[in-house]
Amino acid sequence: MKSLGSRLTVWYVAVVMVTMICAILLGRWLMIKEMFRGYDVLNAAEFQEIRSRVEEGPGPIPQSELLARVAAHARIDAALYLFQIRDTDGRIIFRSDNMGASVLEPNPPGTLNWTTRCEDVGPVRVSTFTEGPLTVQIASPLRNVDHLFRSYFEVGLIVLGMVLVMSIFFGMWLKNMALAPIRRIERTAARISGDNLGERIPVGAGNDEVTDLARLLNRMFDRLEKSFFQLWRFAGNASHELKTPLSIIRLQSEKLLMHGSLSGAQQESVQQQLEGISRLTTVIEKLLFLARSEVGAIHLNLKAQCTGALIRAFCEDASVLCEEVKVGFVIEKNIETEATFDAALMRQVLLNLLSNALRFTPPDGQVTLSSWAEGGCWWVSIEDTGPGLPAAVLEDVFEPFVRAVAPSTPAEEGKDGAGLGLAICRSIMLLHHGSIRGENRLPGPGFRVILGMPCTQTRPPPAIPRWVRHVPEPEVAAP
Amino acid sequence: MRILLVENEHKVAQIIKRSLEEVEYPTKIAGTCSAANDALAGSPYDAIILDLGLPDGDGFTLLKEWRTHGFTEPILILSARDEVHDRVRGLNMGADDYLAKPFSMEELLARVRSLLRRHVEKKATILEHRGIRLDLVAHTVTLHGEPLDLTGREFALIEIFMQNQGRVLTRSLITEKIWDSHDELDANLLDVYMRRLRKKIALPDEPLFKTIRGVGYQMI
């Protein structure tokens, strides 16, 4: 069961039902006990009555006369009692007529009153008395008791059914009452995001568990807000504190270069200095971008737009870049759909992936781009014919500072932005509620990156379809 | 042509002032919001360079105040905040251009020139330079009367150079105009396009474009 509310209701109903069943059973047990005690008293009273009747008249009475008197009494009370008398040897010397062919068993040792079944009569409550050498057993049939208990159970079942319905109703009411403050907390907490971290959960007047929880959460939001603020401030300050001195260095270097009378070697050093500053600026910008996107401080210029236009504009640049390094560029398919995205950022993602692909693709290799809609999502794949990636790197190639291979030349070191390009691609895709995945092409060799984000009409969480692993080799070449 | 420079970093301000004055733009420095307001109230300026981080306030607030009070001077925002969001915000509030730190002096000068020009010149529809004729309306390019086959991007690129003949254009200025981005990958893309342009527009004597290393390109 998913929700705590339905679990609470079920528990409540179960507890009420178990309690009710226990109460009914206990009631039955107490009733039986009380009833048996009543029968025992009645049996004893009957014995006293027989005794007084038998002992009427002076002197000892012969056994035959005694039994005749008992028989006479038994006939009078035949509707209510069964009588049986045994002598000292345990032989039955008298049975009342209403017993038919059945016999009352002797009492179990240690008990004078017990319940048993009599063949012709049914269940009976038997009491045993001793009078001189005789053992007198008086039994009360329990026919009416059986009937009573059947009615008791029928009523019990009806009551149970009613209690079940009522407890479900009350359980749900109780659940709503109990969970209402939690739902309020949930609604507020869901509203609180990077944009309105100042909002707090309203804390009720009381001092119960829920208000404690609300206070606890509010304290947590305080801490979160503080860390967010610190990160914001860090991003802002880092930007200012790093870039202002960089500006000064850059401007001074440029001045040296433009107006100074530097020798060739000195000019070369200053040039390198300027290039270093450019690289540093790029890395700072990328790191700050990652830091800001971590705290949700990137403002996306989101627009619902056709994906085809972005892909076409990108492909114009992509084919030029590929042609430059003599790598073929193929658009396998560009099936248009509509998605909501920041076109400038998505272009950065595509450009990053392409430049990554080109770094690994040998001349005369090929880069293939596909864009299509599937399962309510827009997918783009970019694949190359390079060597692919070792399985160990594949897992965390989108982590910051992870390079697919060690940069072979210092020039290359600057170009890949310190291994931040793919990390930025991932953070941009996450900002769009999208996904990014890299895998080796099958049949290889080659590396493929697949991007996915929900189309505008439907926004289910995107999952990369399984069949994407086995995209057939491109057949149509239409740059 | 007088320029008001609102910048609280003394060193940066001094370097900018010196460079602007070298190209004959007298410059006044204001280090705070109040100093900037005083300066602007005192005498007219032809352009304002505004840093966003000021000790007694935010550059955005200052910009908003000026625009609501009817100051129409062209304004170039200079800021360490280099986010599209800030850029868009600044431009929406009435700034004319936005330059992120660290910037190149050449770029700042190019942008200031373009700001000043925007307010005096009317855009020509036909641009000519060393036998190249660019018709912005018909979207055609000819070299000594022979039509040149340029792609959309190549046309946009040559147009920027023709508009700024003889000036050094930084990579980020160009990529910002063409791709609305100044990512380093776009700078590489620009280099590729420049190579293609050079191949397509081969002039017999002196090459058309000069590469200024670490800065950008210049059409000569």
Side-chain angles (χ1 to χ4, degrees), chain A residues 239 254-255 317 324 347, chain B residues 104-105 153 179 193 195:
Chain A
S239 203
E254 279 183 359
K255 217 168 86 186
D317 294 331
E324 181 73 9
R347 186 177 167 274
Chain B
S104 131
M105 204 59 225
R153 293 252 194 281
W179 292 286
Y193 272 112
R195 270 198 286 279

Side-chain angles (χ1 to χ4, degrees), chain A residues 204-430:
Chain A
N207 200 14
D208 54 24
E209 291 85 345
V210 175
T211 52
D212 281 352
L213 177 68
R215 281 195 200 97
L216 188 76
L217 282 173
N218 280 343
R219 278 201 296 277
M220 190 186 81
F221 282 126
D222 286 343
R223 287 197 298 275
L224 264 179
E225 190 185 8
K226 210 172 143 194
S227 349
F228 258 65
F229 179 69
Q230 278 168 352
L231 217 76
W232 265 91
R233 207 173 47 188
F234 163 76
N237 284 357
S239 203
H240 186 259
E241 296 301 327
L242 292 169
K243 285 183 183 173
T244 303
L246 273 179
S247 295
I248 296 172
I249 302 173
R250 175 162 189 163
L251 292 175
Q252 297 284 21
S253 308
E254 279 183 359
K255 217 168 86 186
L256 268 180
L257 214 55
M258 298 287 176
H259 307 289
S261 47
L262 300 181
S263 70
Q266 284 168 331
Q267 272 192 13
E268 179 63 31
S269 309
V270 178
Q271 285 288 6
Q272 281 180 9
Q273 206 170 311
L274 276 173
E275 279 158 20
I277 292 167
S278 292
R279 277 206 294 276
L280 194 54
T281 311
T282 304
V283 173
I284 290 172
E285 270 164 15
K286 289 189 175 204
L287 281 176
L288 286 175
F289 182 92
L290 286 175
R292 287 200 195 103
S293 79
E294 283 283 309
V295 292
I298 300 278
H299 287 262
L300 298 180
N301 182 19
L302 287 178
K303 249 184 239 150
Q305 50 199 307
C306 172
T307 60
L310 172 83
I311 296 291
R312 273 193 302 277
F314 171 71
C315 287
E316 187 184 339
D317 294 331
S319 52
V320 167
L321 278 175
C322 290
E323 199 183 308
E324 181 73 9
V325 286
K326 297 189 172 50
V327 166
F329 180 70
V330 175
I331 305 168
E332 194 194 347
K333 56 185 168 188
N334 181 9
I335 299 164
E336 299 189 355
T337 178
E338 194 180 278
T340 303
F341 56 89
D342 182 321
L345 286 182
M346 281 310 291
R347 186 177 167 274
Q348 285 306 309
V349 172
L350 296 175
L351 198 58
N352 262 299
L353 294 179
L354 176 73
S355 85
N356 203 53
L358 286 180
R359 243 179 316 131
F360 294 106
T361 309
D364 303 323
Q366 181 175 294
V367 172
T368 309
L369 182 142
S370 305
S371 164
W372 73 100
E374 159 111 9
C377 290
W378 168 41
W379 305 99
V380 179
S381 85
I382 291 184
E383 54 187 62
D384 59 49
T385 51
L389 287 185
V393 188
L394 215 50
E395 281 292 305
D396 43 23
V397 70
F398 293 103
E399 295 296 326
F401 300 110
V402 173
R403 283 193 172 94
V405 286
S408 49
T409 62
E412 198 150 312
E413 191 170 349
K415 277 185 189 165
D416 71 349
L420 292 169
L422 288 180
I424 285 186
C425 288
R426 185 181 63 176
S427 79
I428 292 176
M429 290 314 292
L430 293 182

Side-chain angles (χ1 to χ4, degrees), chain B residues 147-197:
Chain B
L148 285 174
D149 182 23
L150 298 188
T151 66
R153 293 252 194 281
E154 287 162 353
F155 188 89
L157 200 52
I158 190 105
E159 183 190 335
I160 293 173
F161 280 105
M162 296 289 268
Q163 300 272 19
N164 295 280
Q165 288 166 23
R167 297 197 181 100
V168 176
L169 297 182
T170 59
R171 280 203 182 80
S172 59
L173 184 117
I174 303 171
T175 57
E176 203 183 300
K177 280 200 191 302
I178 296 187
W179 292 286
D180 197 16
S181 142
H182 42 95
D183 192 89
E184 106 259 34
L185 291 174
D186 285 303
N188 295 341
L189 186 57
L190 172 66
D191 293 341
V192 173
Y193 272 112
M194 287 308 293
R195 270 198 286 279
R196 289 166 70 92
L197 260 189

Side-chain angles (χ1 to χ4, degrees), chain B:
Chain B
M1 289 289 178
R2 293 177 72 236
I3 291 169
L4 175 62
L5 172 62
V6 189
E7 164 69 78
N8 73 314
E9 290 287 338
H10 182 68
K11 272 190 190 159
V12 179
Q14 284 302 328
I15 299 169
I16 297 176
K17 182 181 157 81
R18 232 172 291 146
S19 303
L20 285 173
E21 286 178 346
E22 271 171 32
V23 290
E24 311 293 323
Y25 293 143
T27 306
K28 161 128 179 112
I29 298 174
T32 58
C33 289
S34 52
N37 277 328
D38 291 348
L40 202 60
S43 56
Y45 288 91
D46 296 294
I48 302 169
I49 300 172
L50 174 65
D51 185 14
L52 287 184
L54 292 169
D56 59 340
D58 189 12
F60 280 133
T61 329
L62 209 53
L63 173 63
K64 207 172 161 187
E65 264 174 40
W66 289 343
R67 287 306 186 224
T68 41
H69 286 100
F71 288 93
T72 52
E73 283 83 354
I75 295 176
L76 167 71
I77 290 182
L78 203 58
S79 169
R81 295 181 223 168
D82 181 28
E83 244 197 282
V84 180
H85 169 64
D86 290 316
R87 193 178 283 265
V88 170
R89 192 172 159 210
L91 297 180
N92 282 344
M93 283 176 133
D96 297 82
D97 204 353
Y98 191 107
L99 183 59
K101 287 182 183 176
F103 54 90
S104 131
M105 204 59 225
E106 283 298 335
E107 178 149 17
L108 180 69
L109 288 180
R111 283 175 195 255
V112 168
R113 273 192 212 108
S114 145
L115 273 189
L116 294 169
R117 202 170 54 244
R118 216 178 290 168
H119 278 249
V120 286
E121 278 175 20
K122 221 177 156 198
K123 223 180 191 182
T125 54
I126 301 229
L127 302 167
E128 281 182 291
H129 179 68
R130 290 180 69 189
I132 304 165
R133 187 185 152 92
L134 200 66
D135 187 333
L136 296 179
V137 180
H139 218 265
T140 52
V141 200
T142 54
L143 177 60
H144 303 302
E146 291 293 311
L148 285 174
D149 182 23
L150 298 188
T151 66
R153 293 252 194 281
E154 287 162 353
F155 188 89
L157 200 52
I158 190 105
E159 183 190 335
I160 293 173
F161 280 105
M162 296 289 268
Q163 300 272 19
N164 295 280
Q165 288 166 23
R167 297 197 181 100
V168 176
L169 297 182
T170 59
R171 280 203 182 80
S172 59
L173 184 117
I174 303 171
T175 57
E176 203 183 300
K177 280 200 191 302
I178 296 187
W179 292 286
D180 197 16
S181 142
H182 42 95
D183 192 89
E184 106 259 34
L185 291 174
D186 285 303
N188 295 341
L189 186 57
L190 172 66
D191 293 341
V192 173
Y193 272 112
M194 287 308 293
R195 270 198 286 279
R196 289 166 70 92
L197 260 189
R198 279 180 166 143
K199 246 181 252 168
K200 285 190 178 177
I201 313 175
L203 294 180
D205 39 357
E206 202 183 357
L208 184 62
F209 298 106
K210 194 172 145 193
T211 307
I212 314 291
R213 204 177 142 194
V215 181
Y217 296 94
Q218 182 184 20
M219 183 190 245
I220 45 174

